[in-house]
Amino acid sequence: MNELTKRERMAMSRSEMPARPADERNSDFGEVNLGFTAGLAVLEAQRCLMCRRPVCIEGCPVGVQITEFIDLVAAGDFGEAAKVIKRDNSLPAICGRVCPQEDQCEGACVLAKKGKPIAIGALERFVADFEREHDLMHAEPTAIRTGKSVAIVGSGPAGLACATDLAKLGHDVTVFEALHELGGVLSYGIPEFRLPKEIVAAEVEQLELLGVRFVTNAVIGMMDTIDDLLDEEGFDAVFIGVGAGLPRFPNVPGENLIGVYSANEFLTRINLMKAYQVGSDTPIFDVTGKAVAVFGGGNTAMDAIRTSLRLGASTATLVYRRSREEMPARHEEVEHAEEEGVGFQMLTAPLAFLGDNDGFLTGMRLQAMQLGEPDESGRRRPVPVPGAVTTKDVDMVVIAIGNAPNPLLAKTAPDLEHTRWGTLLADATTGRTSKRGVFAGGDIVTGGATVILAMGAGRTAAASIDEFLRTDDWERSVQ
Amino acid sequence: MFTILESRDLAPSIRYLRVAAPKIARRRKAGQFVIVRVDGDGERIPLTIADSDSTEGWIALVVQGVGKTTKAINLLEAGDSLSDVAGPLGMPSRIDEVGTAVVIGGGVGTAIAYPTAVALKEAGNHVISIIGAQTGAQIVLESEMEVACDEVYVTTDDGSVGYHGFVTGKLSELIDEGRQLDLVIAIGPIPMMKAVAEVTRPCAIDTIVSLNPIMVDGTGMCGGCRVVVGDETKFACVDGPEFDAHQVDFDLLERRNRAYATFEHQRDSDMQAAIDLQSAS
Ligand SMILES: Cc1cc2nc3c(=O)[nH]c(=O)nc-3n(C[C@H](O)[C@H](O)[C@H](O)COP(=O)(O)OP(=O)(O)OC[C@H]3O[C@@H](n4cnc5c(N)ncnc54)[C@H](O)[C@@H]3O)c2cc1C
Ligand SMILES: Cc1cc2nc3c(=O)[nH]c(=O)nc-3n(C[C@H](O)[C@H](O)[C@H](O)COP(=O)(O)OP(=O)(O)OC[C@H]3O[C@@H](n4cnc5c(N)ncnc54)[C@H](O)[C@@H]3O)c2cc1C
Ligand code: SF4
Ligand code: SF4
Ligand code: FES
């Protein structure tokens, strides 16, 4: 137990996440953060004030029992700590790495005001890694079988979380994934240097041990429709977690030049198809010694620009139309990007991309912006500064200005209601859609959000699916 | 794993493969394609479903070995397998009863056009097919087309078989003869499709082409397959692959398909060296 007094704990400084040196890591795809050692983890856990009203838990979208698990870490009982976290979050090794903690658990921590919030994410990651590395993950299929079966469409965090809970409740679960690999954005979007793919694979393996079936290369809507799954394949319920994977383009001249990628294509070629490895069959634009610009300010933009450095770009510039404070990316990613040599050009938007006669990108025309009145999102809207246009040489550009829901599935299921933004309509507390037996959650419902929110939605839906399968009552939980 | 049930040569470097894929066989319509990976490290490439049998549960692919992946596929024999086959993808061909339809296939494009010709015939059209290649040995599916269509014309660039000249030459002849042509579908190399579009444009014959941009996922997720049709950017894998020939920006497509030319060339010569080594030993 924690023997220190409150005063002593307050006096301790925050343990910082050990990371590889910037000039070493920016040329390979090995993980940047090294993780806490057991000693650092215990030290950091001892700093927690064990608040009577733990506001940190309120800051976590899935309500991880932060005080309980940190207390176990402080006591050195890491295996038990992992079990506590997993009651609420089935993918802690992933969330510990990618949650925007500063906006969630750590942002809410009482010590945040002093700039020293407990490193909850790092502790969560440590505990989960400890469990995996010490072979303590022991999923076992539930003995009681309900005889009911559920189809899950999409293997991103929403689908995986939903599958976990349903399998534990004794339902037969089959996950259908369009790509040849499982994990959704965790596999094709977030790079190896931030989330090693072996961690995603280990989570999937746990699900297989729980008895979950995975079918890859299954593009639902094209191969089987939702109706086929329910009527012909005999599934009792369907969960849709297909994400928001349709890339947006700025709609400016020259955006179809060779060398202009969507972030999805660029990152898919790198992460899913391993184009960065020597001998890979999938090509990627050769940026060795060249100038790269990425447009956007979110995690996707950070991932793309940091990847381009690792491919050998001589200059890597992040171009964002608002100011630095408005960038939605995790703070740690922005800091890491800066350390690694990324240049930031704020308050700038693309006007046109310029190319040569063979259709290759050679330059870009940029418009300087200034912040005007606040828009619907409450952020000040960027407006062009009259006449402030510049032209710059560039060899490769990645567009990372956001994704919209992919209409592929919706087109083949006309009885699923969706919003005018293309997201599926689903009740927030039950995941129930307008179609009986069909549930949805994650980015396909919210639009591009976060891993933890997608997971939470998957779990909410799982509870509601279980209730539906037991009662056969569709209307009851619909608000 | 998707097992290859049959694999045989149709012409030099063009191979016909039957692959066990019951779900895809059941759903697929003319004009749709699959994304294939040969093995665990392979790239994803699109291939049109040339034929299928839903009761026996197979789809047929006709593959022209132009680079590493297609050559690797064409080395496979019955009993081997492809690690991934995803589909059916893309919008099916629009099959209407229009009267007289001309289906033009260039090289391996004939195999891609074949299911569409069959479907147009079944829909009650008078179907004329024009199938072209550089030389007679490269003509594929001629007898299948003979069965499916009302009229079949073969053209070769070197005149070794059939009409001496390009498919567009034969098409112009039909137009000049005053034949009423209600729809033209052209599938083949980009210069051929572009030339067909120019032949039918002055007489305003509805013309459809099947575009072949470089693809990755084939589900609308990456945008790598973008093409410009009538000043609008489209994703060929989900909005196509068939589009109005008179609206397509062929030059852009041609340029974009050369994006990785250096890489592909290197990879192809490595592959060819491996094939040569194998056949030498
Ligand atoms: C590059 C990048 C970096 C990010 N970084 C972070 C981060 O650091 N922290 C964070 O919290 N969030 C991050 N996000 C956001 C986060 O990844 C997403 O919010 C989250 O993955 C959404 O989960 P999901 O399960 O709803 O969908 P996805 O992860 O998108 O998974 C959906 C899956 O469904 C499959 N699918 C789609 N259509 C079909 C179909 N018709 N049939 C079968 N399968 C289908 C897709 O192939 C995909 O595998 C990032 C996103 C990107 C793109
Ligand atoms: C919807 C669609 C359906 C297709 N159907 C068939 C089919 O049924 N049979 C068939 O043989 N081929 C088909 N193709 C073309 C096939 O996908 C390409 O030939 C293949 O991707 C080339 O891969 P590779 O590794 O063998 O050669 P690469 O090394 O990638 O390329 C070799 C040469 O082919 C060119 N090339 C590259 N990609 C394409 C492409 N997508 N289309 C045309 N040329 C390309 C390159 O510029 C290069 O000159 C189709 C393409 C699309 C988009
Ligand atoms: S799941 Fe995310 S938000 Fe919740 S405690 Fe863990 S790191 Fe914090
Ligand atoms: S708010 Fe901070 S100090 Fe308080 S219990 Fe939570 S993590 Fe510990
Ligand atoms: S191939 Fe990726 S969007 Fe068409």
Side-chain angles (χ1 to χ4, degrees):
Chain A
M1 283 312 279
N2 203 337
E3 305 290 310
L4 301 172
T5 64
K6 184 168 173 189
R7 180 186 293 262
E8 284 166 333
R9 287 182 244 169
M10 298 270 283
M12 293 167 75
S13 53
R14 176 175 154 114
S15 304
E16 288 309 324
M17 170 65 82
R20 293 166 59 215
D23 56 352
E24 171 197 308
R25 71 190 192 225
N26 68 6
S27 54
D28 67 36
F29 282 79
E31 195 175 9
V32 167
N33 283 338
L34 298 168
F36 278 176
T37 57
L40 269 182
V42 171
L43 209 61
E44 181 65 8
Q46 283 175 344
R47 253 186 0 104
C48 173
L49 303 177
M50 294 294 147
C51 304
R52 195 150 319 136
R53 189 179 143 234
V55 279
C56 50
I57 298 180
E58 289 164 33
C60 170
V62 297
V64 165
Q65 292 305 303
I66 296 169
T67 41
E68 196 179 339
F69 103 74
I70 289 188
D71 205 23
L72 286 162
V73 175
D77 196 349
F78 309 135
E80 268 319 295
K83 285 189 192 151
V84 169
I85 299 176
K86 283 197 163 170
R87 290 205 302 255
D88 301 292
N89 174 356
S90 56
L91 304 171
I94 296 168
C95 293
R97 285 173 167 79
V98 306
C99 264
Q101 286 94 6
E102 68 268 17
D103 299 327
Q104 299 180 349
C105 51
E106 294 180 24
C109 172
V110 289
L111 296 172
K113 290 178 206 79
K114 297 218 158 57
K116 301 203 301 182
I118 302 297
I120 302 168
L123 288 173
E124 185 167 312
R125 167 193 162 138
F126 168 77
V127 164
D129 285 354
F130 181 91
E131 187 196 32
R132 188 181 64 257
E133 284 157 12
H134 291 78
D135 221 8
L136 302 174
M137 295 162 78
H138 294 302
E140 261 181 52
T142 316
I144 305 148
R145 308 309 305 170
T146 63
K148 301 280 184 184
S149 65
V150 183
I152 296 195
V153 186
S155 65
L160 293 181
C162 188
T164 308
D165 284 8
L166 289 169
K168 285 184 178 161
L169 290 164
H171 304 299
D172 288 327
V173 181
T174 308
V175 179
F176 294 94
E177 167 56 50
L179 294 171
H180 60 266
E181 271 213 13
L182 303 166
V185 170
L186 307 177
S187 287
Y188 77 73
I190 305 181
E192 182 78 16
F193 59 81
R194 210 151 66 79
L195 178 63
K197 300 308 151 215
E198 61 169 300
I199 291 172
V200 182
E203 296 297 348
V204 168
E205 195 186 319
Q206 291 300 303
L207 281 179
E208 280 169 341
L209 290 176
L210 279 176
V212 174
R213 271 185 68 222
F214 288 96
V215 185
T216 49
N217 298 311
V219 188
I220 301 304
M222 303 302 283
M223 189 184 80
D224 278 330
T225 60
I226 300 290
D227 280 332
D228 293 336
L229 293 175
L230 290 168
D231 304 339
E232 289 183 28
E233 305 282 327
F235 286 102
D236 300 297
V238 174
F239 173 77
I240 301 176
V242 294
L246 187 78
R248 286 205 189 99
F249 286 91
N251 203 9
V252 298
E255 65 188 22
N256 293 327
L257 288 163
I258 302 167
V260 181
Y261 282 111
S262 76
N264 279 1
E265 180 180 3
F266 180 66
L267 292 171
T268 298
R269 284 179 179 271
I270 296 296
N271 301 321
L272 184 73
M273 306 309 298
K274 306 276 178 276
Y276 65 90
Q277 290 176 354
V278 181
S280 164
D281 266 351
T282 300
I284 189 83
F285 200 81
D286 184 2
V287 295
T288 322
K290 295 194 171 152
V292 175
V294 171
F295 289 82
N299 288 319
T300 310
M302 292 305 153
D303 286 344
I305 197 73
R306 295 172 70 197
T307 296
S308 75
L309 276 179
R310 285 159 172 78
L311 293 176
S314 56
T315 62
T317 313
L318 191 102
V319 186
Y320 184 51
R321 63 195 184 115
R322 299 178 196 255
S323 64
R324 188 155 170 163
E325 294 67 52
E326 274 106 3
M327 284 201 298
R330 297 177 75 230
H331 293 180
E332 186 184 38
E333 311 311 331
V334 181
E335 279 161 27
H336 280 167
E338 193 157 41
E339 290 164 16
E340 288 169 9
V342 168
F344 291 81
Q345 183 164 356
M346 297 295 105
L347 289 164
T348 308
L351 271 187
F353 298 111
L354 315 168
D356 64 16
N357 288 337
D358 296 324
F360 282 81
L361 175 75
T362 56
M364 52 188 177
R365 193 167 297 134
L366 302 171
Q367 166 75 61
M369 311 294 276
Q370 60 196 10
L371 292 180
E373 295 301 307
D375 62 12
E376 317 86 66
S377 70
R379 295 184 300 179
R380 292 173 64 194
R381 187 195 302 273
V383 291
V385 179
V389 174
T390 52
T391 302
K392 223 175 149 178
D393 289 347
V394 69
D395 302 294
M396 186 181 89
V397 153
V398 179
I399 308 289
I401 57 171
N403 289 334
N406 189 331
L408 189 79
L409 185 70
K411 269 198 290 196
T412 62
D415 46 354
L416 279 178
E417 280 175 32
H418 47 264
T419 67
R420 64 191 168 98
W421 299 279
T423 51
L424 275 183
L425 269 179
D427 183 274
T429 56
T430 64
R432 295 183 185 210
T433 66
S434 56
K435 187 174 168 70
R436 185 184 165 88
V438 180
F439 301 72
D443 281 4
I444 185 61
V445 172
T446 55
T450 61
V451 171
I452 191 68
L453 285 172
M455 275 189 48
R459 300 202 64 194
T460 303
S464 174
I465 290 170
D466 180 57
E467 184 192 301
F468 169 66
L469 294 178
R470 282 186 287 102
T471 61
D472 200 34
D473 186 350
W474 181 249
E475 301 306 327
R476 202 171 77 192
S477 318
V478 182
Q479 254 96 63
Chain B
M1 286 297 205
F2 295 77
T3 309
I4 295 171
L5 306 171
E6 182 189 353
S7 171
R8 62 183 158 85
D9 285 332
L10 286 188
S13 82
I14 299 185
R15 223 163 150 82
Y16 172 93
L17 299 107
R18 271 194 307 118
V19 183
K23 282 253 162 116
I24 302 174
R26 203 154 57 114
R27 295 281 167 233
R28 78 97 190 181
K29 296 201 173 77
Q32 290 186 300
F33 65 94
V34 286
I35 292 265
V36 171
R37 274 196 342 145
V38 183
D39 55 39
D41 305 318
E43 67 173 334
R44 298 166 63 93
I45 67 157
L47 294 167
T48 306
I49 306 169
D51 199 359
S52 65
D53 188 313
S54 55
T55 40
E56 293 179 14
W58 53 261
I59 59 168
L61 306 173
V62 175
V63 186
Q64 178 164 33
V66 294
K68 168 150 189 200
T69 305
T70 46
K71 285 180 183 175
I73 292 176
N74 286 358
L75 287 177
L76 302 174
E77 300 290 348
D80 292 341
S81 57
L82 298 167
S83 75
D84 300 279
V85 179
L89 300 168
M91 299 284 285
S93 305
R94 237 189 61 210
I95 305 294
D96 298 323
E97 194 182 342
V98 292
T100 300
V102 185
V103 177
I104 304 177
V108 75
T110 304
I112 305 178
Y114 170 70
T116 306
V118 173
L120 283 167
K121 181 66 197 161
E122 280 168 3
N125 294 290
H126 181 89
V127 181
I128 303 172
S129 73
I130 305 177
I131 57 186
Q134 276 164 359
T135 183
Q138 289 169 356
I139 294 289
V140 297
L141 299 190
E142 186 185 348
S143 46
E144 285 84 350
M145 280 294 199
E146 291 281 1
V147 176
C149 305
D150 299 283
E151 297 169 52
V152 176
Y153 301 98
V154 172
T155 74
T156 51
D157 301 359
D158 65 358
S160 51
V161 178
Y163 176 93
H164 186 170
F166 297 135
V167 288
T168 40
K170 186 67 218 177
L171 177 64
S172 301
E173 261 189 26
L174 294 176
I175 294 171
D176 294 343
E177 283 165 19
R179 296 281 301 264
Q180 166 71 28
L181 307 177
D182 303 292
L183 173 71
V184 171
I185 296 185
I187 306 178
I190 297 166
M192 183 209 96
M193 295 192 285
K194 186 177 166 185
V196 169
E198 290 321 312
V199 169
T200 58
R201 194 190 304 274
C203 26
I205 303 172
D206 274 349
T207 304
I208 302 289
V209 285
S210 179
L211 302 186
N212 58 352
I214 295 168
M215 294 187 176
V216 184
D217 58 300
T219 65
M221 180 270 274
C222 77
C225 63
R226 49 200 201 278
V227 292
V228 168
V229 183
D231 293 334
E232 243 186 279
T233 296
K234 301 274 187 190
F235 290 3
C237 69
V238 284
D239 301 324
E242 294 183 2
F243 294 98
D244 178 351
H246 298 148
Q247 307 270 328
V248 170
D249 184 343
F250 287 105
D251 296 337
L252 177 76
L253 175 63
E254 200 157 20
R255 284 198 301 268
R256 282 184 62 86
N257 271 7
R258 281 199 298 266
Y260 306 106
T262 325
F263 174 91
E264 284 157 354
H265 185 75
Q266 182 55 47
R267 208 178 52 164
D268 184 39
S269 22
D270 295 350
M271 180 71 187
Q272 197 56 51
I275 294 173
D276 294 346
L277 201 67
Q278 199 177 14
S279 50
S281 62

